[in-house]
């Protein structure tokens, strides 16, 4: 008996039709999910543009749940968490991305960058250092090097900072000579404090070699010699500084005078300071001269201070004249007293202000309504000397 094949004529088309219908349903479902994801994403973007960050985060979380494979949504969500200061949540999002095995190398590197930024913003500097170090040699190498430089500066890791700065300079990313000199100077101060004078001297020599025209190594060279009791050597170091950085000599003027007194080189130091004062009328130079001439007659010192006070009526200059008003009032003279009063009045005028009791707004005249916070009757009737 031959088998009845008529059922095949019916069953095959039915099976084909069912398969086609099922595939259409799957495609429709897939299309619906794909359409829902961008809609949720754009909803979150719109909320973000309207500064509704809480609702935007909820929308992005919903979008991520609908499509866990969308890396851009993860990046957007993580960056939102970081901007809001929710660093723990940002770290979890970016760590999830770094750990995903289906990401391309470029996307994983990008996630590592975001993770490093999370740690940096959160103040987790040890973890930030590890995250930035992992980015060395990648497309973000320059950014990672600069971030590590900033990180070592914050944590006072001067030796590591100098190494990174030299690498950056070697790559042609700019001149870091001045920074390297500062790092070596900081290192020298730490070594001196630890009693390791020879290593401190080597660090200072590296600073001078890194930036021969930098000011700080020359200042420190003289200060170290002064602390070691070599006042003559300190004077020589500061004379070299004066030749290179004449305008910055005021930084060490008082120490220069002290070393000149210690070595008996008062006349030479006075000539140096007077020459500097003639070209740069800085009160620090005038104070250094007073330090040198403390034992000289008032009649020799007073005209110099009075001339400076008339040309530059500041409280610092007036302060130099006050001792004469107390110890030698007869020698001061009406001209000097007038200059002293005018200098004090001029210097005190900007400090005498009315201050709002509500918001702290400062004003030179009395207001019935504060211009800052618009509060009425918040200004006291008397002025106060504000610091």
């Amino acid at each position: 008996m031959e088998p009845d094949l008529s059922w095949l004529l019916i069953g095959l088309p039915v099976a084909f039709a069912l398969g086609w219908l099922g595939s259409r349903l799957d495609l429709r479902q897939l299309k619906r999910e794909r359409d829902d994801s961008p809609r949720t994403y754009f909803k979150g973007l719109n909320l973000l543009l309207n500064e509704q960050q809480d609702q935007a985060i909820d929308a992005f979380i919903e979008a991520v749940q609908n499509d866990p494979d969308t890396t851009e949504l993860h990046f957007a969500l993580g960056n939102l968490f970081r901007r809001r200061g929710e660093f723990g949540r940002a770290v979890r999002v970016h760590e999830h991305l770094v750990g995903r095995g289906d990401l391309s190398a470029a996307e994983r590197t990008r996630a590592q960058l975001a993770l490093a930024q999370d740690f940096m913003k959160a103040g987790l500097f040890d973890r930030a250092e590890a995250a930035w170090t992992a980015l060395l040699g990648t497309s973000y190498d320059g950014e990672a090097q600069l971030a590590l430089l900033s990180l070592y500066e914050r944590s006072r890791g001067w030796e590591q900072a100098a190494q990174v700065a030299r690498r950056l300079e070697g790559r042609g990313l700019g001149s870091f000579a001045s920074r390297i000199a500062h790092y070596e100077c900081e290192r020298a101060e730490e070594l001196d404090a630890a009693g390791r004078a020879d290593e401190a001297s080597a660090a200072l020599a590296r600073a001078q070699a890194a930036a021969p025209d930098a000011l700080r190594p020359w200042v420190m060279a003289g200060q170290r010699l002064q602390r070691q009791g070599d006042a003559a050597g300190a004077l020589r170091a500061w004379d070299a500084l004066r030749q290179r950085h004449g305008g910055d000599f005021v930084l060490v003027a008082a120490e220069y005078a002290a070393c000149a007194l210690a070595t008996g080189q008062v006349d030479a130091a006075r000539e140096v300071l007077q020459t500097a004062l003639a070209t740069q009328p800085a009160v620090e130079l005038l104070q250094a001269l007073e330090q040198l001439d403390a034992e000289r007659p008032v009649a020799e010192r007073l005209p110099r201070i009075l001339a400076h006070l008339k040309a530059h009526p500041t409280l610092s200059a007036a302060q130099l004249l006050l001792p004469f008003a107390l110890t030698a009032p007869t020698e001061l003279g009406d001209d000097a007293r007038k200059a002293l009063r005018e200098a004090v009045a001029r210097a005190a005028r900007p400090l005498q202000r009315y201050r709002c009791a509500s918001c702290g707004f400062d004003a030179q005249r009395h207001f019935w309504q504060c211009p800052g916070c618009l509060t009425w009757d918040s200004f006291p009737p008397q002025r106060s000397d504000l610091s």
Side-chain angles (χ1 to χ4, degrees):
M1 181 178 176
E2 294 183 3
D4 185 7
L5 299 178
S6 61
W7 65 273
L8 289 175
L9 298 176
I10 300 172
L12 285 176
V14 170
F16 177 77
L18 289 173
W20 178 83
L21 183 61
S23 66
R24 293 297 297 171
L25 289 173
D26 288 343
L27 288 172
R28 192 172 299 169
Q29 178 67 21
L30 182 62
K31 183 176 183 299
R32 186 182 300 112
E33 290 177 356
R34 191 167 56 244
D35 290 342
D36 286 344
S37 182
R39 190 178 299 115
T40 309
Y41 175 78
F42 287 122
K43 176 186 174 184
L45 186 59
N46 182 56
L47 291 167
L48 185 61
L49 291 174
N50 288 315
E51 298 184 358
Q52 296 175 274
Q53 292 192 6
D54 290 332
Q55 295 90 328
I57 285 176
D58 292 338
F60 282 131
I61 290 174
E62 181 183 348
V64 168
Q65 289 172 343
N66 291 337
D67 190 2
D69 295 330
T70 306
T71 57
E72 289 301 327
L73 289 178
H74 283 79
F75 280 118
L77 190 59
N79 292 339
L80 259 180
F81 284 143
R82 188 195 311 132
R83 286 180 58 187
R84 285 170 53 87
E86 299 181 47
F87 303 118
R89 300 177 77 180
V91 166
R92 285 197 295 274
V93 171
H94 293 134
E95 281 183 337
H96 168 71
L97 286 172
V98 171
R100 278 177 53 174
D102 59 336
L103 284 188
S104 65
E107 289 295 293
R108 187 174 291 104
T109 303
R110 181 184 168 194
Q112 182 69 36
L113 172 66
L115 188 60
Q117 291 170 339
D118 294 338
F119 289 140
M120 200 76 167
K121 286 287 188 179
L124 302 172
F125 296 141
D126 53 342
R127 300 182 69 180
E129 180 183 359
W132 287 117
T133 302
L135 288 166
L136 297 178
T138 69
S139 56
Y140 298 104
D141 182 83
E143 189 172 348
Q145 298 264 22
L146 289 170
L148 284 170
L149 187 66
S150 174
L151 192 61
Y152 291 138
E153 285 185 358
R154 288 188 183 188
S155 60
R156 304 184 66 81
W158 307 119
E159 189 173 357
Q160 299 98 316
Q163 292 171 359
V164 173
R166 289 189 177 96
R167 286 202 301 267
L168 287 166
E169 196 168 57
R171 291 185 53 189
L173 295 178
S175 174
F176 291 82
S178 178
R179 280 195 178 191
I180 292 171
H182 279 297
Y183 300 153
E184 294 293 356
C185 286
E186 291 285 349
R187 182 72 177 139
E189 287 185 350
E190 290 180 349
L191 290 167
D192 265 333
R196 297 154 64 181
D198 292 340
E199 294 178 61
S201 298
L204 197 56
R206 289 194 298 271
Q208 290 176 327
D213 293 329
L215 171 65
R216 187 178 181 184
W218 294 97
V219 171
M220 284 187 60
Q223 290 172 337
R224 291 187 77 239
L225 290 169
Q226 184 185 22
R227 287 197 301 269
Q228 293 166 5
D230 186 1
L235 286 176
R236 288 192 296 272
W238 287 326
D239 280 329
L241 178 151
R242 183 168 50 85
Q243 297 299 323
R244 290 172 174 266
H245 305 278
D248 299 311
F249 178 64
V250 294
L251 281 173
V252 296
E255 294 162 304
Y256 190 86
C259 287
L261 287 168
T263 57
Q265 300 182 47
V266 175
D267 292 338
R270 183 184 299 110
E271 184 178 349
V272 166
L273 290 168
Q274 286 175 338
T275 302
L277 184 64
T279 57
Q280 184 182 6
V283 73
E284 291 88 351
L285 297 170
L286 192 62
Q287 289 167 340
L289 281 167
E290 278 300 293
Q291 188 177 344
L292 282 179
D293 295 340
E295 302 301 324
R296 301 190 72 167
V298 172
E300 295 181 20
R301 298 156 54 196
L302 194 57
R304 181 174 61 203
I305 299 173
L306 185 56
H308 183 92
L309 183 62
K310 287 180 177 179
H312 308 280
T314 63
L315 278 179
S316 298
Q319 187 179 14
L320 289 174
L321 200 58
L322 280 176
F324 297 104
L326 298 173
T327 59
T330 56
E331 296 188 41
L332 200 59
D334 293 337
D335 197 24
R337 291 190 186 92
K338 180 182 177 183
L340 182 59
R341 284 195 303 269
E342 289 178 353
V344 173
R346 178 174 176 175
R349 197 174 300 122
L351 302 178
Q352 296 172 346
R353 292 172 174 260
Y354 296 96
R355 171 172 287 178
C356 173
S358 179
C359 70
F361 184 90
D362 295 335
Q364 289 187 335
R365 71 181 184 87
H366 184 274
F367 286 98
W368 296 109
Q369 184 186 32
C370 175
C373 65
L374 304 181
T375 302
W376 292 97
D377 295 324
S378 60
F379 276 82
Q382 76 281 358
R383 287 192 295 261
S384 60
D385 289 343
L386 304 177
S387 58

